Amino acid sequence: MYMFVRKYTKVRSVADAARRAKSGIGHILRESPGFRSYYVLDGGDGVGVAVMIFEDRESANAANDKVLGFVQASLPDLNLGDPEIIAGDVLVSMESSA
């Protein structure tokens, strides 16, 4: 698996950004080959973090380019700025057995 983490540090409203991104980014990701999961978290004080997990690097890179394009084109009023991006192979994955 391959993971992209995008961290935005000056988000006016993380909740609004997440709500508005859910349908647009959700649509992009659901149509992307290799897509596994997507998470958004509110880190407080204008910090928003988005995590995308894919089967492989190529699928993740292709989807990330589309997602960044959507964010820049559709959410400019939120003044998100350029995210800090961390990406890499997932080395450990665990799920609850409950």
Side-chain angles (χ1 to χ4, degrees):
M1 288 188 297
Y2 196 82
M3 180 185 297
F4 258 98
V5 178
R6 291 186 321 278
K7 178 182 175 186
Y8 296 89
T9 58
K10 298 177 184 173
V11 182
R12 188 184 49 157
S13 170
V14 175
D16 187 33
R19 180 187 55 77
R20 291 173 51 193
K22 184 177 180 181
S23 62
I25 293 173
H27 178 73
I28 292 168
L29 293 176
R30 283 189 293 275
E31 291 187 351
S32 297
F35 172 66
R36 296 283 298 268
S37 59
Y38 178 67
Y39 305 92
V40 175
L41 70 91
D42 185 343
D45 296 326
V47 174
V49 179
V51 178
M52 299 185 316
I53 301 174
F54 283 83
E55 289 292 330
D56 56 68
R57 179 188 306 236
E58 294 75 23
S59 298
N61 284 332
N64 187 60
D65 291 343
K66 292 177 185 176
V67 167
L68 288 175
F70 170 85
V71 169
Q72 292 169 347
S74 302
L75 306 175
D77 59 306
L78 294 176
N79 299 321
L80 299 175
D82 294 326
E84 175 184 350
I85 298 175
I86 301 168
D89 291 314
V90 175
L91 301 179
V92 176
S93 175
M94 295 173 31
E95 295 182 22
S96 171
S97 59

